[in-house]
């Protein structure tokens, strides 16, 4: 197959293979899909990071690397690159794009039409579409980072390619040149395992649509700690009104009442409520028929806040409705004066029992109150609670039909029925005939750390009522560094090495370090954070039985966690990093100054 692609490049005049920019399939970071990706550079250019082939590119463009290193403006020596894409490959990927965006509630009809129109109007050569960019090196804080930059604004990459790259899509790029030392890159887009890739754009292409229905109403995002599960949910809910998002976190003490609701004792200040005129008529009638003496005056004192809101005509209406003379408005006013004088500052309150709704019920009510809007219930750490106990009979509601409505309803108990009838009305579909039923506009998203799955195992009957989406470790924070006593180490290098040892030790990804196991605001992980958060976790949760082969400073020399503290702690920590083979941020072996000489640790 690769020979076919080489033949195509030869056919367009590029017969010398320089290198494969990515030897393996590489990850397309989430920011390329509009809701998940970060805002990019202010001028709207697109950057495709090429760090995986930095060594080969240094050999091919030594003069350009040297000029940028010497502070020359990078634009002076930037190399023009022509890019080629298979039109058949693009059309094939469009099918995946349509499927993905249908499932994730984005209306891309117009965008797909534009892509197909662009292809039909663009001249192909040997089945290839082409565009141009520059190969440039960064001259900012991270110098000599290689990129494809400044793609043609009306070219195939800007108009098509960045619109069809999904979170799990991937690609290979091969760099070629001809006898005139002109360069071209051949792209092949597909799906496979994912790892390092970086791109930026500041333009949103896919428009959110309320006319496209989501397929999945209940999703559990699962993976190792720090893989960005909550971040992914947050990104998907961008633009959703806060009043339509309800969150809860499960824990060992969670139960049905903390998830759904229950009667609870609450403090009430009896005089705080302001009653309407109709309610006041009922209250006065009750006092009169109860034989309360001087009822107008006592009524005025008790309900002074409400009466102060009324005019004289309203007060007369209340008296007449109760069969009393409207002259008693004077008695009302006497009572109001007493109430305002002696009860206005009263802090007296009483304990009453009332039904207090929790996250599930709040989301449920909102979904029925706003049937044309999508409402989301987010459950963090779903497996840290006993799901069977927490959901109870709600478990039955999770079976949804093709329209997203519960296939089977359940009977609400008396308390819940009474509360929902008061909130929604007796004839509302949410409590009609005293039954609960999940509406199609209520979505339930949950997260689960696989490393915590032993807390409360989730049974298979519960699992099959959810769609599951795995969040892999992407090793994408290549700009992060670990700093130990002035020495810089690559976070991704450390992360990869440790994860390989964890996987080798227990054949499981459950305990591996996710991309956001730590999340430094400035991209710098201090030795304190490394010790107290990362290594503490590894020592207690991964290597407690001597597994992992991580806490060593030599082939036969182990160290304990406590040895990383104290007078020689920093030295031992550096030795440990050296034994692990952690590189610096540029991928080089780490050296430190010792006795005024550079020596490898």
């Amino acid at each position: 197959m690769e020979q076919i692609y080489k033949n195509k490049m030869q056919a367009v005049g590029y017969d010398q293979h320089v290198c494969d920019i990515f030897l393996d399939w590489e990850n397309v970071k989430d920011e390329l899909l509009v809701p998940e990706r970060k805002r990019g550079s202010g001028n709207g250019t697109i950057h495709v990071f090429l760090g995986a082939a930095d060594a080969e590119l240094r050999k091919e463009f030594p003069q350009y690397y040297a000029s940028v290193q010497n502070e020359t403006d990078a634009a002076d020596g930037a190399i023009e690159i022509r890019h080629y894409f298979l039109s058949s490959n693009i059309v094939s990927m469009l099918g995946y794009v349509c499927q993905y965006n249908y499932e994730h509630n984005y209306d891309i009809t117009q965008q797909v039409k534009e892509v197909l129109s662009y292809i039909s109007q663009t001249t192909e050569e040997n089945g290839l579409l082409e565009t141009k960019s520059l190969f440039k090196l960064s001259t900012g804080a991270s110098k000599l980072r290689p990129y494809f930059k400044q793609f043609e604004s009306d070219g195939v990459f800007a108009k098509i390619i960045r619109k069809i790259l999904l979170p799990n899509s991937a690609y290979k790029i091969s760099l070629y040149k001809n006898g005139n030392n002109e360069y071209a890159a051949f792209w092949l887009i597909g799906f496979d395992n994912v790892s390092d890739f970086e791109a930026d754009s500041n333009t949103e292409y896919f428009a959110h649509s309320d006319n496209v229905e989501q397929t999945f109403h209940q999703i559990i995002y699962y993976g190792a700690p720090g893989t960005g599960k909550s971040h992914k949910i947050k990104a998907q809910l961008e633009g959703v009104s806060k009043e339509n998002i309800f969150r809860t976190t499960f824990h060992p003490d969670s139960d049905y009442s903390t998830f759904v609701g229950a009667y609870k004792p609450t403090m009430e200040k009896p005089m705080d409520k302001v009653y309407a005129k109709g309610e006041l008529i009922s209250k006065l009638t009750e006092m009169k028929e109860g034989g309360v003496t001087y009822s107008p005056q006592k009524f005025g004192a008790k309900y002074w806040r409400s009466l102060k809101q009324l005019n004289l005509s309203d007060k007369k209406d209340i008296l007449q409705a109760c069969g009393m003379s409207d002259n008693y408005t004077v008695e009302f006013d006497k009572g109001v004066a007493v109430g305002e004088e002696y009860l206005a500052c009263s802090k007296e309150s009483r304990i009453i029992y009332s039904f207090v709704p929790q996250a599930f019920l709040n989301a449920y009510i909102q979904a029925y109150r706003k049937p044309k809007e999508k409402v989301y219930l987010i459950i963090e750490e779903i497996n840290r609670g006993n799901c069977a106990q927490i959901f109870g009979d709600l478990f039955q509601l999770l079976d949804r039909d093709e329209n997203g409505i519960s296939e089977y309803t359940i009977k609400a108990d008396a308390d819940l029925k009474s509360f929902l009838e008061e909130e929604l009305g007796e004839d509302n579909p949410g409590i009609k005939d005293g039954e609960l039923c999940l509406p199609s506009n209520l979505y339930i998203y949950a997260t689960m750390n696989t490393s915590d799955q032993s807390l409360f195992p989730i049974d298979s009957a519960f699992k099959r009522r959810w769609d599951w989406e795995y969040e892999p470790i992407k090793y994408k924070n290549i700009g992060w560094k670990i700093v130990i006593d002035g020495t810089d180490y690559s976070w991704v290098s450390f992360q990869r090495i440790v994860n390989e040892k964890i996987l080798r030790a227990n054949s499981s990804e459950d305990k591996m370090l996710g991309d956001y196991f730590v999340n430094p605001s400035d991209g710098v992980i201090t030795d304190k954070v490394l010790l107290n958060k990362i290594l503490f976790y590894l020592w207690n949760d991964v290597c407690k039985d001597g597994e992992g082969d991580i806490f060593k400073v030599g082939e036969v020399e182990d160290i304990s966690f406590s040895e990383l503290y104290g007078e020689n702690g920093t030295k031992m920590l550096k030795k440990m990093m050296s034994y692990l083979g952690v590189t610096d941020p540029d991928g080089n072996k780490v050296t430190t100054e010792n006795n005024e000489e550079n020596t490898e640790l």
Side-chain angles (χ1 to χ4, degrees):
M1 183 63 74
E2 289 187 5
Q3 186 58 47
I4 295 175
Y5 303 143
K6 289 181 179 178
N7 292 341
K8 284 186 173 294
M9 292 303 290
Q10 288 175 0
V12 293
Y14 296 89
D15 56 354
Q16 300 177 47
H17 178 259
V18 177
C19 67
D20 292 317
I21 301 294
F22 296 108
L23 298 177
D24 302 306
W25 290 99
E26 298 295 330
N27 176 42
V28 178
K29 281 180 66 177
D30 287 349
E31 57 256 35
L32 278 172
L33 182 69
V34 174
E36 286 86 358
R37 73 184 179 209
K38 300 174 183 176
R39 294 278 180 171
S41 56
N43 60 9
T45 59
I46 310 160
H47 306 166
V48 179
F49 177 56
L50 308 173
D54 184 61
E56 291 86 349
L57 294 170
R58 284 176 182 269
K59 292 177 183 177
E60 187 65 28
F61 307 120
Q63 293 181 336
Y64 180 42
Y65 270 84
S67 68
V68 176
Q69 182 69 60
N70 294 329
E71 306 294 339
T72 302
D73 187 348
D76 292 345
I79 296 135
E80 183 177 273
I81 306 291
R82 192 175 295 272
H83 300 266
Y84 288 93
F85 305 86
L86 282 169
S87 60
S88 58
N89 186 200
I90 292 173
V91 173
S92 176
M93 284 299 297
L94 271 178
Y96 292 103
V97 172
C98 292
Q99 177 183 349
Y100 183 93
N101 286 281
Y102 174 81
E103 293 172 353
H104 289 74
N105 195 30
Y106 294 95
D107 183 2
I108 62 166
T109 305
Q110 185 59 37
Q111 285 81 357
V112 171
K113 288 181 180 178
E114 291 174 0
V115 168
L116 294 176
S117 175
Y118 184 92
I119 293 175
S120 66
Q121 296 175 24
T122 303
T123 303
E124 295 185 20
E125 184 175 358
N126 200 26
L128 298 173
L129 297 174
E130 65 173 277
T131 188
K132 294 178 183 178
S133 80
L134 293 178
F135 170 76
K136 296 183 72 175
L137 299 172
S138 172
T139 56
S142 302
K143 278 192 175 182
L144 304 185
R145 285 163 61 87
Y147 291 90
F148 286 146
K149 292 187 177 184
Q150 294 173 236
F151 284 84
E152 292 178 305
S153 60
D154 60 347
V156 62
F157 192 98
K159 295 292 186 181
I160 299 178
I161 301 304
R162 63 174 173 173
K163 299 183 183 182
I164 65 174
L165 297 177
L166 303 174
N168 292 324
S169 60
Y171 55 78
K172 291 179 179 178
I173 307 174
S174 294
L175 187 64
Y176 293 83
K177 68 179 179 180
N178 59 22
N180 297 323
N181 281 331
E182 297 170 332
Y183 293 87
F186 175 80
W187 294 60
L188 184 63
I189 305 170
F191 293 91
D192 208 319
N193 292 330
V194 293
S195 56
D196 305 329
F197 171 73
E198 190 173 300
D200 295 314
S201 174
N202 71 347
T203 305
E204 295 188 358
Y205 285 89
F206 298 118
H208 191 279
S209 171
D210 290 328
N211 300 318
V212 182
E213 189 60 55
Q214 287 183 322
T215 301
F216 304 129
H217 280 78
Q218 289 137 202
I219 306 176
I220 294 178
Y221 296 90
Y222 69 102
T227 49
K229 300 176 288 294
S230 296
H231 175 75
K232 184 163 190 176
I233 292 176
K234 180 182 178 182
Q236 289 190 34
L237 300 186
E238 186 177 345
V240 177
S241 171
K242 288 185 177 180
E243 64 181 14
N244 288 346
I245 301 174
F246 299 84
R247 294 182 180 275
T248 186
T249 301
F250 283 2
H251 53 83
D253 287 334
S254 297
D255 58 16
Y256 186 88
S257 65
T258 60
F259 181 53
V260 180
Y263 267 92
K264 292 183 178 182
T266 57
M267 300 296 291
E268 181 193 59
K269 287 187 176 181
M271 298 306 298
D272 282 347
K273 183 174 180 180
V274 175
Y275 294 93
K277 188 164 75 172
E279 293 175 298
L280 291 173
I281 292 172
S282 176
K283 298 290 185 182
L284 181 56
T285 301
E286 184 180 331
M287 292 179 70
K288 177 187 173 185
E289 293 178 351
V292 176
T293 58
Y294 300 104
S295 55
Q297 191 174 124
K298 291 179 179 179
F299 176 82
K302 185 173 183 179
Y303 298 103
W304 70 271
R305 291 182 186 275
S306 302
L307 288 170
K308 278 186 71 71
Q309 312 297 317
L310 304 180
N311 56 37
L312 180 61
S313 177
D314 289 331
K315 294 175 185 177
K316 288 182 177 181
D317 289 344
I318 293 172
L319 289 165
Q320 290 172 358
C322 296
M324 304 175 74
S325 170
D326 57 16
N327 291 329
Y328 280 117
T329 56
V330 175
E331 299 302 314
F332 274 175
D333 293 340
K334 290 179 182 178
V336 168
V338 172
E340 189 171 18
E341 177 71 22
Y342 295 103
L343 301 178
C345 299
S346 173
K347 295 182 180 179
E348 179 185 354
S349 59
R350 60 183 177 136
I351 296 176
I352 63 169
Y353 279 83
S354 59
F355 194 93
V356 180
Q358 301 296 334
F360 172 83
L361 208 53
N362 288 328
Y364 183 87
I365 292 171
Q366 183 75 340
Y368 275 106
R369 283 177 174 166
K370 297 188 174 183
K372 294 183 179 180
E373 299 180 21
K374 291 177 174 60
V375 177
Y376 298 87
L377 172 62
I378 312 302
I379 304 172
E380 299 283 2
E381 310 285 358
I382 190 170
N383 59 316
R384 296 192 71 244
N386 186 337
C387 290
Q389 172 182 308
I390 296 169
F391 275 83
D393 56 354
L394 299 180
F395 165 85
Q396 194 76 12
L397 300 178
L398 298 178
D399 272 323
R400 310 262 197 131
D401 62 20
E402 64 276 6
N403 297 316
I405 300 172
S406 294
E407 289 192 37
Y408 310 103
T409 59
I410 62 172
K411 285 287 185 181
D413 62 35
D415 293 340
L416 182 54
K417 177 176 178 290
S418 176
F419 176 77
L420 285 175
E421 285 179 345
E422 183 177 343
E423 292 291 320
L424 298 174
E426 293 184 15
D427 295 329
N428 189 282
I431 193 58
K432 190 174 182 180
D433 299 324
E435 294 181 337
L436 301 177
C437 176
L438 297 184
S440 61
N441 64 323
L442 178 57
Y443 298 86
I444 308 175
Y445 293 167
T447 64
M448 185 179 92
N449 278 337
T450 51
S451 62
D452 295 331
Q453 61 185 343
S454 61
L455 286 176
F456 287 99
I458 299 177
D459 61 75
S460 57
F462 187 82
K463 283 181 178 179
R464 71 179 180 81
R465 284 166 168 79
W466 295 78
D467 291 289
W468 294 72
E469 187 165 326
Y470 178 64
E471 280 300 300
I473 298 172
K474 302 179 181 70
Y475 300 105
K476 58 185 180 180
N477 295 315
I478 56 176
W480 290 9
K481 60 184 179 181
I482 301 169
V483 179
I484 305 173
D485 191 30
T487 303
D488 293 352
Y489 299 86
S490 164
W491 157 250
V492 168
S493 174
F494 174 83
Q495 184 190 9
R496 283 186 184 278
I497 292 168
V498 168
N499 284 345
E500 287 172 4
K501 290 182 177 292
I502 294 172
L503 185 62
R504 213 178 303 129
N506 54 33
S507 301
S508 171
E509 295 184 0
D510 290 354
K511 302 291 185 181
M512 292 169 67
L513 301 176
D515 297 297
Y516 296 99
F517 187 88
V518 290
N519 192 12
S521 59
D522 57 357
V524 176
I525 300 168
T526 64
D527 51 358
K528 185 176 182 179
V529 172
L530 177 66
L531 280 168
N532 295 332
K533 187 165 186 177
I534 302 171
L535 295 182
F536 177 74
Y537 162 76
L538 293 174
W539 180 261
N540 284 278
D541 287 27
V542 179
C543 306
K544 58 184 178 181
D545 297 321
E547 298 177 340
D549 199 31
I550 295 172
F551 287 84
K552 304 185 73 170
V553 294
E555 288 297 326
V556 294
E557 189 178 355
D558 295 343
I559 58 171
S560 66
F561 183 70
S562 61
E563 289 181 85
L564 298 175
Y565 287 85
E567 186 177 342
N568 294 319
T570 300
K571 181 179 179 181
M572 298 301 290
L573 186 56
K574 288 186 174 182
K575 282 187 175 182
M576 176 179 162
M577 299 291 275
S578 178
Y579 171 76
L580 290 173
V582 181
T583 66
D584 68 13
D586 294 323
N588 303 314
K589 266 187 144 181
V590 177
T591 60
T592 60
E593 289 191 6
N594 185 19
N595 295 328
E596 299 181 352
E597 293 181 6
N598 281 345
T599 59
E600 291 185 6
L601 282 173

